Amino acid sequence: MYKITTHPILEIPKSEKVTFQFDGHIIEAKKGFTIAAALHQAGFPVHSHSLRNRKRSLECGIGKCGACEMLVDGQVKRICITLVDEVKEVKEIPHDYRPDIIEYAKNEPIDVYKTQVVIVGAGPAGLAAREILREYGIDNLVVDNNSKIGGQFLMQTHQFFFFEKEKKYGGMRGFDIAQTLAGANHEGIFLNSTVWDILEGGRIAVKEISTDRT
Ligand code: FES
């Protein structure tokens, strides 16, 4: 695998070099790129092994399937969406791996929000639902575990089809549609956050992934 330096649509970021350890090797990468990209470019496309020792690599490549999970500085992360930026060490997850059980302090502060609707996922459907709810003045919050809005729109570098032109988003590129749908005000969109429990009384528990804040 080699790294492209130009792209007809997307800007390739020129960023500083970083390194991390993998399996006794020092891997060089550029800030802003994913661990998966760095490992592939360094010639290490195998990230795990099946119980029968078959080699495994990426599957979806967009953070949805979990096939690329590795131990990143001791935490299980999907390397196809985890940036190399501050990473020190990446390891294959051992077959007998058991995560540490974290005891949460009962009086740990939590943020409480009241809303009428919670939309899980800031992709095409989630953003479209948010737009309609806002038109009708219905309170809503959007929760997405990615660091950017758009979901599958972010993969769409092409312009939407010609026969869609008379419709609202015809002729636009997918990532531009995501921004247009969300509007300038991203208030109420929680990125890097995952829904981890649905509780009685119409409540849900949401965790901010990088800080573990609830
Ligand atoms: S390859 Fe599917 S989540 Fe990374």
Side-chain angles (χ1 to χ4, degrees):
M1 181 178 173
Y2 66 93
K3 180 172 176 289
I4 58 170
T5 52
T6 56
H7 187 280
I9 309 296
L10 303 173
E11 199 177 319
I12 311 261
K14 296 198 184 354
S15 51
E16 80 184 80
K17 196 162 71 177
V18 292
T19 59
F20 63 88
Q21 289 198 40
F22 165 68
D23 205 14
H25 303 272
I26 304 287
I27 307 294
E28 279 191 1
K30 291 281 181 81
K31 267 194 177 180
F33 287 83
T34 62
I35 296 169
L39 287 178
H40 275 264
Q41 281 162 21
F44 298 105
V46 177
H47 312 309
S48 62
H49 291 80
S50 73
L51 292 175
R52 294 190 180 164
N53 214 30
R54 282 195 301 247
K55 294 173 182 172
R56 294 213 160 131
S57 188
L58 304 181
E59 286 189 17
C60 70
I62 55 170
K64 300 300 172 207
C65 72
C68 64
E69 285 183 341
M70 297 186 83
L71 283 178
V72 177
D73 292 334
Q75 286 195 313
V76 175
K77 298 228 167 130
R78 296 176 181 195
I79 62 161
C80 69
I81 52 167
T82 304
L83 302 184
V84 293
D85 296 20
E86 309 299 331
V87 169
K88 295 193 171 42
E89 187 178 31
V90 176
K91 288 182 180 171
E92 182 168 339
I93 302 175
H95 287 156
D96 61 355
Y97 174 76
R98 293 285 176 277
D100 293 338
I101 294 174
I102 301 168
E103 292 289 339
Y104 286 98
K106 284 205 174 96
N107 49 7
E108 195 177 296
I110 58 170
D111 297 323
V112 177
Y113 298 86
K114 286 193 174 170
T115 188
Q116 289 168 280
V117 179
V118 174
I119 301 166
V120 181
L127 292 178
R130 175 178 184 261
E131 188 186 41
I132 301 275
L133 291 172
R134 285 163 74 92
E135 268 172 38
Y136 284 89
I138 298 172
D139 276 353
N140 64 86
L141 298 174
V142 182
V143 180
D144 193 295
N145 64 354
N146 293 300
S147 58
K148 293 180 185 163
I149 59 165
Q152 299 300 315
F153 272 143
L154 297 177
M155 320 295 151
Q156 320 267 340
T157 54
H158 65 274
Q159 290 171 308
F160 271 57
F161 304 115
F162 177 73
F163 60 79
E164 292 283 315
K165 258 209 161 99
E166 57 286 359
K167 296 192 186 164
K168 204 166 167 187
Y169 299 111
M172 288 178 75
R173 301 191 190 282
F175 46 79
D176 291 331
I177 297 176
Q179 290 303 327
T180 308
L181 259 179
N185 181 2
H186 289 192
E187 202 184 325
I189 301 180
F190 292 81
L191 297 174
N192 295 310
S193 300
T194 191
V195 175
W196 61 277
D197 208 353
I198 298 174
L199 306 157
E200 287 176 0
R203 296 174 301 150
I204 62 164
V206 175
K207 188 176 288 288
E208 212 274 339
I209 298 165
S210 52
T211 60
D212 266 356
R213 191 172 175 83
T214 307

